[in-house]
């Protein structure tokens, strides 16, 4: 099972990530912008930012690790069940979420590191 601490460790491999809060819950930010948040709502899960097309593809895949709620309808984010998600796929989703929120000069740091 993947934990919030695992998520933070993966995200911390990316430039300028800070652990913070959003809506009084643990969150990950880059340049002050939230790209992930551990939800405490009844449905739980990790919220990660994503494009609407990616969200649709993840939901259409039938993978039980991915879901949404009516609150997130029309919004570019996916909910992830940390008990069911494949770690490699989670790492990719974290990086994709980071890329959506990181400003260009911070994204460039990732390009320089690889």
């Amino acid at each position: 099972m993947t934990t919030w601490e695992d998520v933070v460790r993966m995200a911390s491999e990316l430039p300028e990530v800070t652990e913070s809060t959003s809506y009084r819950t643990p969150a990950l930010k880059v340049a002050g912008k939230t790209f992930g948040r551990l939800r405490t709502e009844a449905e739980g899960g990790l919220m990660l930012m994503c494009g609407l097309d990616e969200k649709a593809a993840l939901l259409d895949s039938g993978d039980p690790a991915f879901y949404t709620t009516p609150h997130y309808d029309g919004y570019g984010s996916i909910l992830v069940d940390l008990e069911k998600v494949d770690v490699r796929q989670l790492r990719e989703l974290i990086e994709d979420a980071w890329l959506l929120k990181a400003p260009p000069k911070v994204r460039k740091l990732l390009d320089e590191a690889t």
Side-chain angles (χ1 to χ4, degrees):
M1 179 179 96
T2 305
T3 65
W4 172 250
E5 290 76 21
D6 296 326
V7 171
V8 171
R9 183 178 32 77
M10 286 182 232
S12 295
E13 296 171 6
L14 299 165
E16 298 192 23
V17 168
T18 57
E19 189 175 3
S20 185
T21 60
S22 177
Y23 301 101
R24 295 187 290 259
T25 63
L28 297 167
K29 296 183 179 184
V30 58
K33 296 180 180 181
T34 301
F35 67 92
R37 161 176 103 80
L38 187 63
R39 298 176 73 241
T40 57
E41 290 84 350
E43 307 88 6
L46 172 68
M47 184 282 297
L48 288 172
M49 302 303 297
C50 67
L52 290 173
D53 289 343
E54 183 176 17
K55 177 180 183 171
L58 289 168
L59 294 173
D60 289 345
S61 76
D63 187 329
F66 306 110
Y67 63 103
T68 191
T69 65
H71 175 76
Y72 291 99
D73 286 351
Y75 188 65
S77 64
I78 190 73
L79 300 179
V80 181
D81 185 331
L82 292 177
E83 293 182 2
K84 297 176 181 174
V85 70
D86 176 80
V87 174
R88 289 180 304 244
Q89 190 170 23
L90 177 60
R91 187 179 300 277
E92 289 176 22
L93 291 170
I94 290 169
E95 184 173 326
D96 290 348
W98 178 90
L99 285 166
L100 283 172
K101 292 298 181 173
K105 69 179 185 176
V106 176
R107 286 195 308 262
K108 187 175 179 182
L109 295 172
L110 182 62
D111 293 338
E112 292 170 357
T114 57

